[in-house]
């Protein structure tokens, strides 16, 4: 920044010298100076003009480097902070809105500080220099220019400040437009299938109309200041020329001085007009900075603990839910009530129950996707290896607990980056190939044109089974102590489900597991079963014991879901395979 200021000062000095050189040239010409002197003055003028332009280019280039580096760091801070916020916060903010906050607002600030801020600072310094030089030529002329500058600045500031709120409202409306558009595009197939295309178009038109009205309101307020200031500059320029002519006729100043004053008046008008135009970007930057600060000021509900997990035992970890009662929101009732479960290291627990019974909530508490203590309803503790998960750092929990769900998120990146999550889980190529072979994707990898460097277009071009197995490969790379599975095979055909079951068996070997089941067949390899109803554990025990007991809820669920006959079973398996 010191270097930028130094170069900017040289540029301003060269630009301020131009009117003085022009006046000197005119006076020397009128006095009959030699051609060589006039030529020298002309060459100095040209050199000063070119030098000022080159120095301006250096200032813009240099300030852009500084500003974009700072902007990228701010993007990283905003993205990292958003990732630390709880799911409830993300449920209230659409992905499109987050994109606007993290990228759009930062871009407005970066654009301003990379170019506009330097120009505004340079123009303000240029105006001050011109006023000083004009006052040196003649105090009356300097007074007229000073009054013009103050009147123009007061007009712009007074009117432009009123436009800041309008600019912020415009960005808020645009964020809603982008968020709604992203949601409609994400549900495109459902909209088409249910004939809701006209509704989606209507929503787009309604949001677009709001965006247009907000932009018009902001533009009217901003451009009104420019028009009013232009009138002030015109009057000031005329007054400066008039004062200069009077002074020249009285012999106080020379013709060259009058010409210099005119050039100063003209130069004063241009930077002030540029400031008026650049204030639009200033308003956008201020609105963006305000919104970015608001995001950074949002306190995450899940706070990082101090224990880095170094004291946890190696291998599989014990999992304990000690009389846990939990509610997502203070205004709602508890989702799970007095859940008391204790899993020894290496035990596989199957959770079964109707939709809304609290199965997924237990998985989220174990993985610290949610924390106890957020509402007055919350009670109890969740422990890993005897340590309360709230005392552990989030990084420690992520290292020791892996989650695999039926909704797999794949990125538009190479196979390697999808597996390592862009280096978050570093592994060499041999390790990656070995992991893919473990989950049954060895032949799939061998058929790819560029192997691990083959780019993926997200989940497009992959079967549901291949995408699910890639998620298992990620979990293998993490080498967790505890695995939480949210029925990853519920949407697969029977043939693909067998591959996923084999990968599941390999993944769970030697690890503690919580399997949230929608298909009872998934639980056949579990050690223990817990049945949930209305957020309570109504039955918990060894799977074999519960399956043999004719009065257990688990046995009744198995009987209710069993086919009527062997022939029916064979028929269903054949249909699933086909």
């Amino acid at each position: 920044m010191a270097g930028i200021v130094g170069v900017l000062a040289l540029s301003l000095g060269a630009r301020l010298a131009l009117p003085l050189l022009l006046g000197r040239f005119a006076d020397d010409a009128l006095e009959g100076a030699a051609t060589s002197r006039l030529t020298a003055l002309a060459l100095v003028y040209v050199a000063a003009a070119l030098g000022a332009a080159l120095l301006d280019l250096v200032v813009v280039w240099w300030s852009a480097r500084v500003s974009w580096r700072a902007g990228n760091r701010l993007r990283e801070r905003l993205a990292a902070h958003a990732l630390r916020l709880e799911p409830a916060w993300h449920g209230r903010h659409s992905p499109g809105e987050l994109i606007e906050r993290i990228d759009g607002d930062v871009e407005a600030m970066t654009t301003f500080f990379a170019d506009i801020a330097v120009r505004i600072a340079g123009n303000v310094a240029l105006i001050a220099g011109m006023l000083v030089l004009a006052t040196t030529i003649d105090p009356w002329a300097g007074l007229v220019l000073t009054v013009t500058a103050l009147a123009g600045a007061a007009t712009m500031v007074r009117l432009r400040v009123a436009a800041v709120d309008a600019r912020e409202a415009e960005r808020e409306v645009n964020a809603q437009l982008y968020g709604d558009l992203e949601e409609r595009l994400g549900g495109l197939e459902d909209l088409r299938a249910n004939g809701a295309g006209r509704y989606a178009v209507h929503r787009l038109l309604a949001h677009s109309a709001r965006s247009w009205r907000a932009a018009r309101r902001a533009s009217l307020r901003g451009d009104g200041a420019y028009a009013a200031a232009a009138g002030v500059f015109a009057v000031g320029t005329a007054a400066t020329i008039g004062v200069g002519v009077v002074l020249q006729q009285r012999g106080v100043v020379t013709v060259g001085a009058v010409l210099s004053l005119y050039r100063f008046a003209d130069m004063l008008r241009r930077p002030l007009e540029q400031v008026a135009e650049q204030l639009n970007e200033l308003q956008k930057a201020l609105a963006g900075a305000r919104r970015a600060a608001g995001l950074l000021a949002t306190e995450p509900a899940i706070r990082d603990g101090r224990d880095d997990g170094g004291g946890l035992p190696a291998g599989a970890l014990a999992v304990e839910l000690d009389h846990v009662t939990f509610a997502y929101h203070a205004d709602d009732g508890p989702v799970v009530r007095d859940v008391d479960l204790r899993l020894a290291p290496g035990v596989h627990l199957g959770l079964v129950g109707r939709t809304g019974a609290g199965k997924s909530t237990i998985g989220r508490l174990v993985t610290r996707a949610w924390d106890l203590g957020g509402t007055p309803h919350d009670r109890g503790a969740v422990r890993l290896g005897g340590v309360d998960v709230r005392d552990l750092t989030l990084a420690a929990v992520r290292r020791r607990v892996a989650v695999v769900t039926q909704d797999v998120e794949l990125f538009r990146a190479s196979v390697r980056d999808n597996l390592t999550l862009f280096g978050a889980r570093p592994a060499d190529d041999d390790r990656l190939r070995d992991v893919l072979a473990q989950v049954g994707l060895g032949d799939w990898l061998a058929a790819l044109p560029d192997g691990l460097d083959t780019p993926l277009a997200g989940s497009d071009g992959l079967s549901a089974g291949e995408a699910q197995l890639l998620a298992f490969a990620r979990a293998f790379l993490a080498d967790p102590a505890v695995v939480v599975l949210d029925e990853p095979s519920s949407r697969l055909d029977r043939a693909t489900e067998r591959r996923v079951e084999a990968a599941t068996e390999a993944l769970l070997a030697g690890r503690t597991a919580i399997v949230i089941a929608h298909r009872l067949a998934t639980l056949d390899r579990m050690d223990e079963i817990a049945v949930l109803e209305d957020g309570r554990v109504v039955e918990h025990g060894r799977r074999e014991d519960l399956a043999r007991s004719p009065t257990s809820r688990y046995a009744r669920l198995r009987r209710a879901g069993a086919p009527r006959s062997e022939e029916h079973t064979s028929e269903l398996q054949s249909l699933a395979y086909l």
Side-chain angles (χ1 to χ4, degrees):
M1 291 304 298
I4 292 172
V5 172
V7 176
L8 181 61
L10 293 176
S11 172
L12 294 177
R15 293 171 66 182
L16 288 172
L18 294 177
L20 300 178
L21 289 171
L22 186 62
R24 184 70 268 168
F25 183 92
D27 286 339
D28 286 357
L30 290 175
E31 293 173 1
T35 303
S36 58
R37 176 172 174 77
L38 297 178
T39 301
L41 285 173
L43 291 175
V44 172
Y45 184 92
V46 171
L50 291 176
L54 290 175
L55 291 172
D56 285 343
L57 182 62
V58 172
V59 169
V60 171
W61 174 81
W62 205 343
S63 61
R65 283 177 57 88
V66 172
S67 180
W68 279 102
R69 286 181 178 180
N72 287 337
R73 291 174 183 171
L74 180 55
R75 284 184 178 92
E76 291 178 5
R77 286 185 60 197
L78 290 170
H81 187 76
L83 288 173
R84 286 194 294 269
L85 297 176
E86 64 278 5
W89 186 91
H90 285 275
R92 298 190 300 269
H93 298 80
S94 67
E97 186 178 355
L98 281 181
I99 292 173
E100 180 67 9
R101 293 291 75 74
I102 294 173
D103 186 63
D105 288 338
V106 176
E107 182 178 0
M109 289 185 283
T110 301
T111 301
F112 173 76
F113 289 109
D115 185 20
I116 309 302
V118 174
R119 291 188 181 184
I120 290 179
N123 285 329
V124 170
L126 182 63
I127 292 168
M130 287 188 293
L131 295 179
V132 170
L133 292 175
T135 302
T136 302
I137 293 174
D138 185 81
W140 287 106
L143 178 62
V144 172
L145 283 179
T146 301
V147 171
T148 301
L150 292 175
T155 302
M156 288 186 298
V157 169
R158 187 165 185 174
L159 296 179
R160 293 281 180 170
V161 167
V164 173
D165 291 338
R167 290 295 180 190
E168 185 169 0
E170 179 186 7
R171 297 192 69 84
E172 181 65 32
V173 170
N174 286 336
Q176 295 174 4
L177 168 64
Y178 299 145
D180 187 76
L181 182 60
E182 188 273 338
E183 290 178 357
R184 296 294 170 265
L185 291 175
L188 191 59
E189 292 186 6
D190 289 338
L191 291 173
R192 287 177 175 174
N194 293 282
R198 294 181 63 186
Y199 168 75
V201 172
H202 169 74
R203 293 273 298 182
L204 174 63
L205 294 175
H207 281 297
S208 298
R210 291 180 59 206
S211 176
W212 179 79
R213 287 192 293 269
R216 181 184 62 177
R217 184 164 52 252
S219 295
L220 287 175
R221 291 187 181 183
D223 294 344
Y226 175 81
V232 174
F233 300 150
V235 172
T237 301
T240 301
I241 295 175
V243 169
V245 170
V246 171
L247 293 175
Q248 193 275 331
Q249 290 177 347
R250 293 180 178 178
V252 178
V253 297
T254 64
V255 173
V258 175
L259 184 58
S260 296
L261 290 174
Y262 169 73
R263 288 297 301 149
F264 281 136
D266 184 59
M267 289 174 63
L268 177 68
R269 174 172 170 263
R270 293 183 64 185
L272 283 173
E273 287 179 349
Q274 288 179 5
V275 169
E277 295 172 356
Q278 292 156 359
L279 283 178
N280 283 330
E281 300 301 326
L282 172 61
Q283 291 153 13
K284 293 179 182 178
L286 290 176
R290 187 182 303 171
R291 293 158 71 92
L295 175 56
L296 290 174
T298 303
E299 291 290 338
I302 301 176
R303 299 184 178 276
D304 218 1
R306 297 182 178 180
D307 190 341
D308 63 359
L312 293 176
L317 292 175
V319 177
E320 180 182 358
L321 285 86
D322 185 4
H323 297 283
V324 170
T325 297
F326 172 77
Y328 286 106
H329 306 289
D331 297 334
D332 301 331
V335 180
V336 295
R337 298 175 175 86
D338 197 31
V339 172
D340 193 53
L341 292 172
R342 288 170 174 80
L343 302 181
V347 169
H348 299 165
L349 172 70
L351 291 180
V352 65
R354 294 179 179 179
T355 301
K359 304 185 300 296
S360 296
T361 299
I362 290 177
R364 291 166 184 159
L365 291 173
V366 172
T367 60
R368 287 204 76 190
W370 292 82
D371 258 353
L372 292 169
T375 72
H377 305 287
D378 295 358
R379 299 287 187 277
V382 179
R383 300 185 182 93
L384 291 176
V387 179
D388 193 318
V389 293
R390 289 170 293 185
D391 296 332
L392 293 170
T393 64
L394 291 171
V397 176
R398 302 293 179 264
R399 284 196 307 268
R400 303 305 300 273
V401 182
V403 185
V404 180
T405 69
Q406 55 190 323
D407 298 319
V408 181
E409 184 66 39
L410 296 179
F411 303 99
R412 294 181 178 272
S414 67
V415 175
R416 179 186 290 102
D417 285 340
N418 268 282
L419 290 176
T420 64
L421 297 176
F422 303 94
R425 295 174 178 171
D428 57 32
D429 289 359
D430 290 338
R431 171 63 176 157
L432 295 179
R433 294 189 187 96
D434 181 61
V435 164
L436 289 174
Q438 282 183 279
V439 299
L441 288 178
D443 294 339
W444 172 81
L445 177 64
L448 295 179
D450 296 317
L452 293 170
D453 294 318
T454 302
L456 299 180
S459 297
D460 296 342
L462 296 178
S463 68
E466 290 168 343
Q468 196 69 67
L469 290 172
L470 280 174
F472 274 91
R474 286 175 179 168
F476 267 109
L477 281 179
D479 192 19
V482 178
V483 179
V484 177
L485 298 184
D486 190 354
E487 189 54 277
S489 62
S490 63
R491 298 181 180 179
L492 306 179
D493 61 80
R494 185 54 188 162
T496 305
E497 185 178 352
R498 291 193 186 99
R499 298 173 63 193
V500 173
E501 287 175 353
T504 301
E505 188 173 356
L507 176 62
L508 301 188
R511 297 181 173 97
T512 307
I514 297 176
V515 178
I516 300 167
H518 302 285
R519 293 180 179 181
L520 292 180
T522 307
L523 305 179
D524 288 346
R525 296 180 177 87
M526 296 296 103
D527 301 314
E528 299 179 5
I529 299 293
V531 181
L532 276 74
E533 288 184 6
D534 297 326
R536 298 182 184 275
V537 176
V538 295
E539 189 172 80
H540 177 216
R542 292 185 56 80
R543 185 190 63 81
E544 294 87 349
D545 297 339
L546 295 179
R548 285 195 299 264
S549 174
T551 61
S552 75
R553 287 178 168 84
Y554 176 63
R556 290 201 298 268
L557 288 172
R558 286 175 60 87
R559 289 195 296 270
R564 298 179 182 176
S565 66
E566 293 287 333
E567 180 181 353
H568 193 195
T569 302
S570 177
E571 181 181 349
L572 288 177
Q573 289 176 346
S574 299
L575 287 173
Y577 179 78
L578 290 173

